[in-house]
Amino acid sequence: MRVVPDVSGIDKMFDYSVPARWAGTVDVGSLVRVELNGRRVAGWVVAVDVDAPPGVELRPLTKVSSVGPSSEVVELARWAAHRWSGRLASVLVSASPDRMVDRLPRPPDGEDPTLPLPSPRSIEAFSRPGVTVVRTPPGEDLGDYVLAAARLGDAVIVAPTVDDARHHGARLRGAGARVYLAGRDFAQAATAGSVIGARSGVWARVRSLSAVLVLDEHDESLQDERNPTWHARDVAIERARRAGVPCVLVSPVPSLAALAAADRVIEPSRAEERRGWPVVRVADRRDEDPKRAGLFSPALVGLVRSDRRVICVLNRKGRAKMLACATCGELVRTENGEHLMGEVDGVLRSDATGEERPLICAVCTSSSLRRLRLGVTRAAEELAALAGAPVLDLSADPDARPEGARIVVGTEAALHRGGDADVVVFLDFDQELLAPRYRAAAQAMALIARAARLVGPDGVVLLQTRTPDHRAVRAAVQSNPAAFTVEERQSRAAALWPPTTALAEISGAASAAFVEPMMDRPEVDILGPRPDGRYLVRAPSPEVLAAVLAETKRPKGRLRVAVDPPRV
Ligand SMILES: [Zn+2]
């Protein structure tokens, strides 16, 4: 049999023999221990019917540790290791049980349970194989989609967080379904029923895959931050395709990647979408003097003086470089309007595009530019004074319990940990919209959707901004994410960003030596090095990118290859 050892720095396979006492218990996916270079190491069986080359005596494996992923999942992991240019063993870790499993339990007796009927739209979403993207307003209950998946038998259901998975799993069990938590309930899930989990749940072993569902497919927590940087949405699409079963991707703000892969898109009516989104208001700050403008607009003051529960989101990083025109109030932005520019050595410069120009406003040609000083450090105190009520600063006290406080300030983590809210205010939304990242606008749109779900259809989201005409702001105000998608796709295509192309970020001491031979390859562009020494490799498709990265020899020295990097 052939084994992939779990040893960092080694991405090869080695052959071993199976002693007679383990014959029949070893299968593709089994976790074993073998001897390698004089050490006993863990590994996975990736093939069983392997003949030793003539004259070679194979060493026996040392131990069979656990049942592991199915052969279907091992094959999928091989695909992912290639697609995201990383070690197979790293992917197989995510596909393995949390605790060792001696053998799988007996399958449950009796027929599969009959479940209640979910909404017609959710049944329709699973009615055929292929990729179906469903745009759901933030106020819509996703439980129907979870139920519709589970009704088909052995479904794999992926949610952005473990808490989401537990929540939906508990509801599904309450409805009578046979459903297990990925990782923890590995053995039971492998015998019969559906499995639900966070991103690693996409690798779950099931009896006979019937459907795949990804909730909030736009959510960035579905991508692994470690190498290889596989994304559960893309793995879900491939897994369902191989099995010929429906793959349903649900989101209030579907990603361009999901839409590019979709065979069809199910959309709510305009009326349903308006009902499912809260009121999104804009505080246009261009009329305020940049020299005097604080963090708080008149609209905000009104909201915090009411009796409603308010969460204020303030990202404290990366604000030093914000400049505004003292004459017209516009932010200083790149030529395409997508990113902020800062002052470096007497000129304006953008970290995102590298473009430079003299210190003048591109809108009114005034040369009177002002650095925005928004008193971030004292935000909570000033807000408390304005509101005449105490304010809890979650970023100052990460362990604070938010339940008792009517007004909470924090980074975007406050949208996860700040408790319920009637109102969410983004104190400085331009930082999100115009960040030096190609996905900045989509990430900003995702933040609005997150806030919208938190406050519910009767709540309010307030965006304080100097770019009220930005596509994400307009789409949110109109409860019309589809309009955002159209413009975002055009913007990405014009700049040759994904999904028009595929990207890998190369960093580490060996990055220059690694990209050097790729400069001669016509299929790819090499961008960089950036000031921090990183390179980007750009290819026309993920397949071409994966092939070029696989064919390029890895030099000695530290090297990190991040395919589909979310933050460049
Ligand atoms: Zn101006």
Side-chain angles (χ1 to χ4, degrees):
M1 51 159 219
R2 190 155 286 162
V3 171
V4 168
D6 187 12
V7 180
S8 63
I10 295 182
D11 194 17
K12 284 194 197 128
M13 303 183 191
F14 301 88
D15 292 348
Y16 295 86
S17 65
V18 182
R21 63 188 170 118
W22 285 316
T25 62
V26 178
D27 214 336
V28 170
S30 297
L31 279 79
V32 295
R33 291 190 85 81
V34 294
E35 215 174 286
L36 183 68
N37 301 332
R39 283 201 299 151
R40 278 192 178 191
V41 300
W44 291 265
V45 176
V46 291
V48 282
D49 46 355
V50 178
D51 290 330
V56 173
E57 179 87 9
L58 293 182
R59 282 168 182 274
L61 67 86
T62 319
K63 188 183 173 193
V64 179
S65 311
S66 175
V67 177
S70 60
S71 58
E72 169 224 346
V73 171
V74 171
E75 277 309 302
L76 186 70
R78 292 176 85 147
W79 169 84
H82 176 72
R83 162 77 171 74
W84 282 277
S85 194
R87 287 170 59 229
L88 174 57
S90 305
V91 183
L92 289 172
V93 167
S94 301
S96 297
D98 288 357
R99 279 164 289 138
M100 297 298 177
V101 175
D102 283 344
R103 65 175 70 83
L104 296 183
R106 266 163 37 88
D109 293 328
E111 304 212 335
D112 288 356
T114 309
L115 300 179
L117 271 182
S119 68
R121 184 173 290 161
S122 63
I123 294 173
E124 166 62 20
F126 286 94
S127 63
R128 62 179 101 157
V131 177
T132 299
V133 170
V134 187
R135 198 172 75 236
T136 51
E140 187 169 335
D141 180 7
L142 302 181
D144 274 344
Y145 294 92
V146 175
L147 190 55
R151 280 180 87 248
L152 296 182
D154 305 338
V156 166
I157 302 164
V158 181
T161 67
V162 175
D163 283 348
D164 294 331
R166 286 179 193 277
H167 165 75
H168 283 295
R171 285 178 65 188
L172 205 48
R173 259 188 300 282
R178 202 175 270 153
V179 59
Y180 301 102
L181 207 58
R184 190 193 70 184
D185 304 334
F186 183 94
Q188 294 94 319
T191 61
S194 294
V195 58
I196 187 164
R199 64 169 176 254
S200 289
V202 77
W203 304 105
R205 178 169 177 165
V206 289
R207 174 180 55 180
S208 172
L209 184 67
S210 57
V212 182
L213 168 65
V214 181
L215 299 176
D216 287 338
E217 62 77 22
H218 67 279
D219 196 303
E220 295 199 331
S221 53
L222 292 172
Q223 184 170 24
D224 201 335
E225 289 160 9
R226 298 157 302 180
N227 273 27
T229 48
W230 55 269
H231 197 299
R233 174 228 303 128
D234 302 320
V235 175
I237 292 170
E238 179 66 13
R239 186 169 184 183
R241 189 191 68 77
R242 288 170 177 232
V245 302
C247 179
V248 176
L249 309 173
V250 175
S251 169
V253 285
S255 67
L256 292 180
L259 292 167
D263 296 301
R264 60 183 179 142
V265 180
I266 298 180
E267 302 179 314
S269 70
R270 287 293 296 126
E272 286 172 306
E273 201 147 48
R274 277 192 212 100
R275 272 201 305 277
W277 279 77
V279 171
V280 178
R281 281 195 219 146
V282 173
D284 183 353
R285 317 218 63 200
R286 286 174 301 182
D287 302 336
E288 297 169 38
D289 180 353
K291 221 173 168 181
R292 294 210 186 132
L295 270 175
F296 312 116
S297 64
L300 171 97
V301 174
L303 287 169
V304 296
R305 285 184 179 162
S306 70
D307 57 358
R308 296 202 264 189
R309 190 149 197 283
V310 182
I311 293 178
C312 296
V313 178
L314 181 61
N315 177 357
R316 281 170 161 86
K317 286 182 199 155
R319 13 187 342 100
K321 286 182 178 171
M322 287 181 87
L323 294 169
C325 172
T327 308
C328 71
E330 291 278 348
L331 284 174
V332 177
R333 285 186 277 167
T334 52
E335 195 177 347
N336 62 9
E338 292 286 308
H339 305 289
L340 294 166
M341 299 183 83
E343 185 188 335
V344 181
D345 301 333
V347 294
L348 295 174
R349 200 186 138 76
S350 158
D351 287 344
T353 64
E355 70 191 79
E356 288 184 5
R357 66 166 194 261
L359 287 163
I360 52 167
C361 171
V363 178
C364 73
T365 71
S366 161
S367 58
S368 177
L369 305 181
R370 296 227 195 283
R371 194 169 290 264
L372 290 176
R373 297 181 196 282
L374 298 177
V376 180
T377 44
R378 299 187 63 238
E381 284 169 50
E382 288 173 25
L383 194 58
L386 272 178
V391 171
L392 175 67
D393 188 349
L394 268 186
S395 46
D397 183 3
D399 298 324
R401 309 268 306 164
E403 288 79 5
R406 186 173 68 78
I407 306 172
V408 172
V409 179
T411 63
E412 67 175 83
L415 296 178
H416 297 268
R417 304 195 301 103
D420 291 333
D422 308 307
V423 177
V424 169
V425 181
F426 290 94
L427 291 175
D428 182 12
F429 203 54
D430 296 320
Q431 247 192 104
E432 319 292 343
L433 288 169
L434 306 173
R437 303 185 291 264
Y438 80 86
R439 289 192 205 170
Q443 288 162 341
M445 198 70 208
L447 273 181
I448 300 176
R450 173 98 217 159
R453 185 173 291 158
L454 190 63
V455 299
D458 299 326
V460 174
V461 176
L462 176 66
L463 309 175
Q464 298 198 133
T465 175
R466 287 171 182 269
T467 51
D469 298 329
H470 192 284
R471 56 187 176 279
V473 176
R474 282 186 282 114
V477 168
Q478 295 161 8
S479 316
N480 189 4
F484 170 77
T485 302
V486 171
E487 291 183 57
E488 179 70 3
R489 190 184 283 122
Q490 286 166 353
S491 166
R492 298 264 190 102
L496 298 179
W497 290 127
T500 309
T501 58
L503 278 187
E505 184 186 41
I506 316 294
S507 58
S511 51
F514 181 60
V515 299
E516 212 271 332
M518 283 186 257
M519 306 242 181
D520 298 330
R521 303 204 48 164
E523 316 92 297
V524 295
D525 286 330
I526 309 295
L527 315 179
R530 301 190 156 206
D532 57 6
R534 291 168 187 235
Y535 292 83
L536 290 179
V537 180
R538 180 156 66 192
S541 70
E543 291 75 23
V544 172
L545 181 64
V548 169
L549 291 173
E551 287 158 16
T552 306
K553 196 167 174 294
R554 299 215 172 190
K556 285 213 165 66
R558 215 185 73 76
L559 184 72
R560 179 176 150 90
V561 178
V563 174
D564 306 335
R567 304 247 154 213
V568 304

